[in-house]
Amino acid sequence: FNAPNDVVVHPDGAIWFTDPGYGSLMNYEGHKAELLLKEAVYRLDTKSGRLTKVTDEIFKPNGLCFSPDYKKLYVADTGSTHYPNAPKNILVYDVADGMRLGKAREYASMKMMVNGVEQAGMADGIRADIDGNIWAACGWVGDGYDGIHTFTPEGQRIGMTHIIEPEDRPIEVLRAYFFDNEHMDIMISGHTHFERIDYRENCLQINTGSPTQ
């Protein structure tokens, strides 16, 4: 592989992971080297040891997660870091037989109006809650954009929480790891910190609806 990045486990025990290659592009996460393979998403069958490339059509597949019923797979594309024509979005696939992916569809664009100007960052780590809402760690824009963006199962942005690093530096890379749905909490990590957020008090609504319903 180039440098595997994010991983999720299916109920059948298979491990699904992305390989965007970032660890091979700089010394920050690994050792700088040329990419050996096309960036892709893989499925590892832990029972047979068989490895399958499920898609390589994404510029740089990064964060990924399943829907609550495991019938859909969401993948964040951060390819714009190295490919000028790469979209800034999250894709969704139908999962067939728990093993194969259908045709990709855009689930959500990262474009958003910030102070009257359209901005588009990128989604990194993503996770689904028990209602099918997708919580995405988004950044690379700055104040007013960087933080956790929440989307309905249909892809409508319904809320966000601004995350600021120490010394008021906007978050750049953020990963959403897991949820305590009973208490509506989320654990996140940034470049310099790890924290727990109670969404009953800290979610900023920007559209109708509630990301915690």
Side-chain angles (χ1 to χ4, degrees):
F1 303 110
N2 299 308
N5 184 281
D6 208 345
V7 59
V8 288
V9 180
H10 191 276
D12 65 7
I15 298 172
W16 295 61
F17 63 95
T18 58
D19 184 22
Y22 286 114
S24 295
L25 296 172
M26 62 191 80
N27 292 320
Y28 177 71
E29 295 180 348
H31 299 288
K32 188 173 182 178
E34 295 295 325
L35 297 188
L36 302 176
L37 303 167
K38 173 71 177 71
E39 299 94 331
V41 180
Y42 295 89
R43 176 185 181 272
L44 175 63
D45 188 320
T46 56
K47 298 176 183 177
S48 66
R50 180 182 179 183
L51 179 71
T52 304
K53 182 193 296 182
V54 292
T55 182
D56 63 359
E57 64 182 341
I58 305 173
F59 286 88
K60 280 192 177 296
N62 203 315
L64 78 170
C65 70
F66 287 107
S67 58
D69 59 7
Y70 291 89
K71 293 183 179 180
K72 291 182 174 62
L73 179 73
Y74 300 87
V75 185
D77 188 352
T78 54
S80 62
T81 59
H82 291 78
Y83 300 104
N85 59 330
K88 296 181 178 181
N89 62 8
I90 299 173
L91 299 174
V92 60
Y93 298 82
D94 291 324
V95 180
D97 303 323
M99 300 174 62
R100 296 175 289 106
L101 297 182
K103 186 177 180 180
R105 309 185 300 278
E106 182 177 78
Y107 164 69
S109 168
M110 294 299 98
K111 295 178 181 178
M112 190 182 84
M113 297 300 294
V114 179
N115 298 323
V117 179
E118 184 177 83
Q119 301 277 10
M122 291 177 289
D124 193 345
I126 57 176
R127 288 294 182 268
D129 64 23
I130 59 175
D131 296 316
N133 300 311
I134 300 299
W135 300 65
C138 301
W140 291 278
V141 172
D143 190 29
Y145 185 97
D146 294 3
I148 301 292
H149 294 212
T150 309
F151 301 89
T152 67
E154 296 73 35
Q156 178 189 9
R157 183 185 281 106
I158 56 172
M160 67 175 297
T161 303
H162 299 299
I163 307 296
I164 302 298
E165 291 259 67
E167 299 180 359
D168 296 325
R169 184 168 65 87
I171 198 76
E172 294 180 0
V173 179
L174 191 66
R175 294 183 184 275
Y177 282 103
F178 59 88
F179 294 86
D180 177 344
N181 286 289
E182 179 181 354
H183 297 95
M184 296 177 285
D185 291 345
I186 182 175
M187 303 297 289
I188 63 171
S189 67
H191 278 298
T192 61
H193 71 291
F194 185 80
E195 64 185 74
R196 174 181 177 180
I197 298 177
D198 184 336
Y199 272 86
R200 290 169 296 185
E201 299 178 359
N202 295 295
C203 191
L204 171 66
Q205 298 299 314
I206 59 174
N207 280 315
T208 57
S210 171
T212 55
Q213 286 181 346

